[in-house]
Amino acid sequence: MGFAEEHHRWLEYHKKRRAGERLDRLDRGHRHGEQMFVERVWWPIFGKLDDLHPEYEVADWRGRPYFVDFVWRPGQVKFAIEIKGYGPHVQNTDRTRYRQELNRETYLQIAGYRVIAIPYDDLESAPEQTISLLKALLTPCLLKTSSEGSSQFTRIERDILRIAISQSRSLRPLDVEKQLEIDPRTVKKLLSALCEKGKLKPILREGGRRVCRYELISSFMDNDLW
């Protein structure tokens, strides 16, 4: 299923489960910036919209309803994601609204959410930067959440896959050696094992037979890893 079909299905799913102000807020709130985030950042990373809740209602520190652009709850961890344009969030605000905005973010963290602010301008001009930052932020949390129930991969294999996911380019053995501080021979064995498990694909040096780097095969959210 392509993005347009999945996005429509996802929105309809949430609309059918809402009424009143919660439904109206979804109609009013999920606009250009939010749609750009889903299409240009979230979809390229995950390829699906599961566990992502648009215009999610929470109570602020005064007990009043407040809607977060997105809440993602894949398991034990939960993230509050806000799309922030310079105009409405900085340029066109006053001191009272600015103070309330900061207090809301603090309260969300008290309530157990990890708050992620996404610049609207980056969604238009540099979505690949946001993708890279989100991968680096989300991957360790997902690995920590799922590691207790996963026996297919060792801890160090999951560390290698985390490195492969968090960087946009292909993985070099030298990257693993430096970041995990392990010797080249062990790195070679670990990378070969991940190739056998279908997670990495070796890439040969141009015009030669020697492997120079590795490419991640499976998607960011494969069930057998996460």
Side-chain angles (χ1 to χ4, degrees):
M1 184 182 293
F3 170 76
E5 295 83 359
E6 176 64 13
H7 183 253
H8 176 75
R9 183 202 64 79
W10 173 71
L11 274 182
E12 290 302 310
Y13 170 85
H14 286 282
K15 286 181 179 180
K16 288 177 181 178
R17 285 156 179 78
R18 301 191 184 190
E21 173 61 17
R22 295 177 69 243
L23 176 59
D24 184 57
R25 180 66 188 216
L26 180 55
D27 287 330
R28 291 185 291 109
H30 191 71
R31 293 299 183 182
H32 183 63
E34 290 76 13
Q35 291 175 19
M36 273 204 305
F37 170 76
V38 174
E39 181 175 8
R40 297 186 180 184
V41 175
W42 198 265
W43 183 258
I45 295 175
F46 292 95
K48 57 183 179 180
L49 305 176
D50 296 356
D51 301 315
L52 185 67
H53 302 269
E55 296 299 323
Y56 190 86
E57 183 180 6
V58 297
D60 65 14
W61 72 98
R62 301 162 298 182
R64 298 177 183 176
Y66 168 64
F67 290 88
V68 181
D69 290 339
F70 300 97
V71 161
W72 185 51
R73 305 182 64 169
Q76 297 295 324
V77 295
K78 52 184 182 180
F79 293 86
I81 304 169
E82 295 272 37
I83 312 303
K84 296 198 172 186
Y86 179 75
H89 286 278
V90 179
Q91 193 175 39
N92 301 332
T93 193
D94 55 31
R95 287 182 177 272
T96 298
R97 289 178 60 187
Y98 181 68
R99 174 172 51 83
Q100 291 174 345
E101 179 81 8
L102 296 180
N103 286 336
R104 274 195 293 264
E105 290 188 3
T106 302
Y107 184 80
L108 283 170
Q109 295 185 63
I110 293 171
Y113 291 91
R114 295 193 62 176
V115 181
I116 304 174
I118 305 293
Y120 173 87
D121 290 350
D122 280 354
L123 296 177
E124 284 197 313
S125 61
E128 64 282 350
Q129 176 173 304
T130 303
I131 288 173
S132 179
L133 291 172
L134 270 187
K135 282 184 177 181
L137 174 64
L138 299 179
T139 302
C141 298
L142 290 169
L143 287 169
K144 181 179 179 181
T145 300
S146 62
S147 60
E148 294 181 1
S150 176
S151 59
Q152 183 180 356
F153 301 95
T154 65
R155 179 191 60 79
I156 199 165
E157 285 176 341
R158 287 194 296 270
D159 286 342
I160 292 173
L161 290 171
R162 172 181 55 79
I163 296 170
I165 292 166
S166 63
Q167 58 188 39
S168 55
R169 57 181 172 78
S170 55
L171 182 69
R172 302 175 303 168
L174 184 61
D175 299 326
V176 180
E177 292 173 28
K178 287 184 175 180
Q179 294 195 42
L180 300 183
E181 297 182 346
I182 50 182
D183 64 89
R185 182 175 297 181
T186 302
V187 168
K188 184 178 180 180
K189 290 180 180 178
L190 291 167
L191 293 173
S192 296
L194 287 170
C195 288
E196 292 176 3
K197 292 180 179 181
K199 287 299 176 184
L200 296 178
K201 179 177 68 174
I203 300 175
L204 300 179
R205 192 181 303 276
E206 187 176 354
R209 297 182 178 180
R210 188 173 181 177
V211 176
C212 60
R213 59 190 190 279
Y214 295 80
E215 203 171 73
L216 191 68
I217 294 177
S218 50
S219 66
F220 183 65
M221 285 294 291
D222 273 358
N223 292 331
D224 56 353
L225 176 57
W226 315 110

